[in-house]
Amino acid sequence: NFFVYGTAPIFLVRYVAEWFSSNADQIASLGFGFFAFLGKGYDQVHIVGRSISAIADVISVATLYFIGRRLYGWRVGLTAAALSAGTVALIQQAHFFTVDSFATLCVRVGLFAAVRVLDYGRLRDYLIFGIAFGLALGSRVNTAPLVLVILIASRLHFVRSASLTTGKSANVDIYGLAVAGGVAALVFRIVQPYTFNG
């Protein structure tokens, strides 16, 4: 009745492992025999999980670089990415295939989308935030405070835009927040279905 972690990363690893299992012969015939061992059943599923966790960590480090570069310049982005890449806890979490690697990636993608909302206020950035936030919640429910970031970014974008162009309506930002919230709820419902069990 109680499970600490979210199921989004676990579902992802399961589906990838099943795909490897059903396509092991085709993968080997394409010259990727190194990956064929992943298709030998669920006794190797932890290897699939570790591999996906490592990929998520690499993308997460790159995302942190882009956040830092957008806010403060490439030097800050590079420094932040280097410090993150050398963080022992993140490396250990990826090695043992916990959900933290996925949650960290989703939070960072959400932060990057919020920074873009702050700068541009585009609907697609709200949409990206909603997807990332839903996946983050589906990985670890304690990422819920991330919602405050999009609220602050949206408000600051409205204030900044209103001061530059008089008569700007708040409808765009309200609509964007509604889209982000709706998409996040839908994604969370799909990737964390056990939350809704009665």
Side-chain angles (χ1 to χ4, degrees):
N1 295 325
F2 179 73
F3 187 59
V4 178
Y5 296 125
T7 54
I10 297 168
F11 288 163
L12 174 65
V13 169
R14 174 192 170 175
Y15 291 130
V16 170
E18 286 181 356
W19 183 84
F20 269 113
S21 181
S22 61
N23 295 295
D25 295 333
Q26 291 86 349
I27 294 168
S29 68
L30 291 173
F32 297 103
F34 172 75
F35 296 103
F37 76 95
L38 295 175
K40 294 182 178 176
Y42 276 108
D43 56 335
Q44 299 295 328
V45 73
H46 66 286
I47 303 295
V48 178
R50 289 177 178 180
S51 302
I52 294 176
S53 291
I55 292 168
D57 263 350
V58 170
I59 298 171
S60 180
V61 168
T63 305
L64 185 60
Y65 165 75
F66 289 117
I67 293 170
R69 187 183 76 171
R70 187 162 201 89
L71 290 174
Y72 301 108
W74 69 270
R75 287 184 179 88
V76 172
L78 192 60
T79 303
L83 291 172
S84 177
T87 303
V88 176
L90 294 178
I91 297 168
Q92 182 185 38
Q93 297 299 324
H95 176 70
F96 288 111
F97 171 46
T98 65
V99 301
D100 300 279
S101 300
F102 302 95
T104 301
L105 172 60
C106 295
V107 167
R108 288 181 179 175
V109 170
L111 288 173
F112 184 68
V115 169
R116 291 183 60 84
V117 165
L118 176 64
D119 289 341
Y120 305 114
R122 295 180 186 147
L123 187 60
R124 69 181 178 197
D125 297 319
Y126 283 104
L127 180 66
I128 292 169
F129 179 86
I131 294 169
F133 183 53
L135 289 171
L137 281 177
S139 301
R140 287 187 68 99
V141 74
N142 62 353
T143 60
L146 182 64
V147 73
L148 298 175
V149 174
I150 195 65
L151 295 174
I152 294 169
S154 180
R155 176 64 180 160
L156 289 176
H157 174 260
F158 171 72
V159 170
R160 187 182 292 176
S161 300
S163 65
L164 294 175
T165 59
T166 57
K168 181 185 183 294
S169 173
N171 290 340
V172 174
D173 295 308
I174 292 172
Y175 183 63
L177 288 173
V179 167
V183 168
L186 178 64
V187 169
F188 180 70
R189 177 66 180 90
I190 292 169
V191 301
Q192 185 72 18
Y194 305 113
T195 304
F196 302 88
N197 280 352

